[in-house]
Amino acid sequence: GALRIGATHTYSKAITLPASLRLLKTYPDLRIDLRELSAQRLIADLMQGDIDIAVLPEDYQLVEFYQQPLLTEQFALIGKPHSMANFPKKLSIKSFKNTELALLNRQFLLRQQIEMEARRENIQLNVRLEVSTMGDLLEVARTGSLAVIGSPIACRRDVDLISRVISGEFLKRTAALCWRKGRFVTGAMKAFQETAIEVSKELKNK
């Protein structure tokens, strides 16, 4: 059989790629087409039937889809240990009031949620650099030149970077499996769902 899987950048690296590699070992005849796309493109491709299943941030407005939560992550300050020395032990969005920041651009839900939290706390953020991928954001974090707020699971396998969670009502998101209502669920889709749940549980326990 064949399976077309989509995911956003962070979830592709952390969940769908490891899950796909496990599936290929278990099912020698299975072929997988794995695509890394923006959340907006994933939703469009699911609607059009161009992909079978996707992992993306959970969104209660997507009434045309089934969504199965996998894991919830709290946004974090990401960087090398020495670059975090001047920050307080307990972080909130207020901790970044006078800090030069690098963030994802406003097309990303993560960025929108950071700005919602800043408005809630009446904080003006000083965003010096905007990037279009989490990979680029991690590269900035390695330099230590700007403070980086992002996804903690994005840097989990990085030997140079650590993350420290930031408390806040809007500073979290849930990864969810997503597939279109009315679509026939194949055996391969069910197997991927089970494997993605396994991988997500392992991430939560690390």
Side-chain angles (χ1 to χ4, degrees), residues 77-85 138-144 158-163:
L77 172 66
I78 297 172
K80 291 184 176 180
H82 67 82
S83 68
M84 300 191 184
L138 296 184
E139 287 300 322
V140 176
R142 286 188 189 93
T143 70
D158 195 300
V159 296
D160 297 322
L161 300 175
I162 63 170
S163 63

Side-chain angles (χ1 to χ4, degrees), residues 102-119:
L103 299 175
L104 290 171
N105 65 40
R106 286 190 173 94
Q107 292 181 350
F108 289 84
L109 184 61
L110 187 149
R111 168 67 179 277
Q112 295 166 25
Q113 289 176 250
I114 291 169
E115 293 193 336
M116 286 167 65
E117 183 69 17
R119 286 195 295 273

Side-chain angles (χ1 to χ4, degrees), residues 18-179:
S20 296
L21 291 172
R22 287 187 197 182
L23 272 189
L24 292 175
K25 285 183 180 178
T26 308
Y27 300 94
D29 295 327
L30 179 64
R31 289 175 290 108
I32 293 177
D33 177 3
L34 185 57
R35 308 175 191 180
E36 184 180 302
L37 301 165
S38 68
Q40 294 93 331
R41 179 66 188 275
L42 288 170
I43 292 164
D45 285 1
L46 283 168
M47 282 298 296
Q48 293 165 12
D50 292 335
I51 54 177
D52 302 309
I53 194 166
V55 179
L56 66 159
E58 186 177 40
D59 185 343
Y60 296 108
Q61 297 178 40
L62 300 178
V63 295
E64 304 93 344
F65 300 99
Y66 291 114
Q67 295 183 77
Q68 181 174 357
L70 293 173
L71 62 86
T72 298
E73 57 176 341
Q74 191 78 20
F75 300 163
L77 172 66
I78 297 172
K80 291 184 176 180
H82 67 82
S83 68
M84 300 191 184
N86 294 327
F87 285 92
K89 288 184 178 179
K90 290 186 177 181
L91 295 173
S92 70
I93 201 69
K94 290 180 179 179
S95 308
F96 301 91
K97 184 176 182 181
N98 299 310
T99 304
E100 295 185 338
L101 289 165
L103 299 175
L104 290 171
N105 65 40
R106 286 190 173 94
Q107 292 181 350
F108 289 84
L109 184 61
L110 187 149
R111 168 67 179 277
Q112 295 166 25
Q113 289 176 250
I114 291 169
E115 293 193 336
M116 286 167 65
E117 183 69 17
R119 286 195 295 273
R120 189 176 78 88
E121 295 289 355
N122 198 28
I123 298 296
Q124 184 71 39
L125 297 177
N126 181 13
V127 182
R128 296 293 309 279
L129 179 67
E130 300 183 25
V131 296
S132 59
T133 71
M134 186 63 72
D136 286 345
L137 204 57
L138 296 184
E139 287 300 322
V140 176
R142 286 188 189 93
T143 70
S145 57
L146 297 167
V148 166
I149 300 174
S151 160
I153 65 171
C155 69
R156 195 154 285 177
R157 292 187 177 91
D158 195 300
V159 296
D160 297 322
L161 300 175
I162 63 170
S163 63
R164 289 178 51 197
V165 296
I166 307 166
S167 64
E169 182 181 342
F170 296 113
L171 300 182
K172 60 186 174 183
R173 65 178 180 180
T174 298
L177 282 165
C178 189
W179 65 98

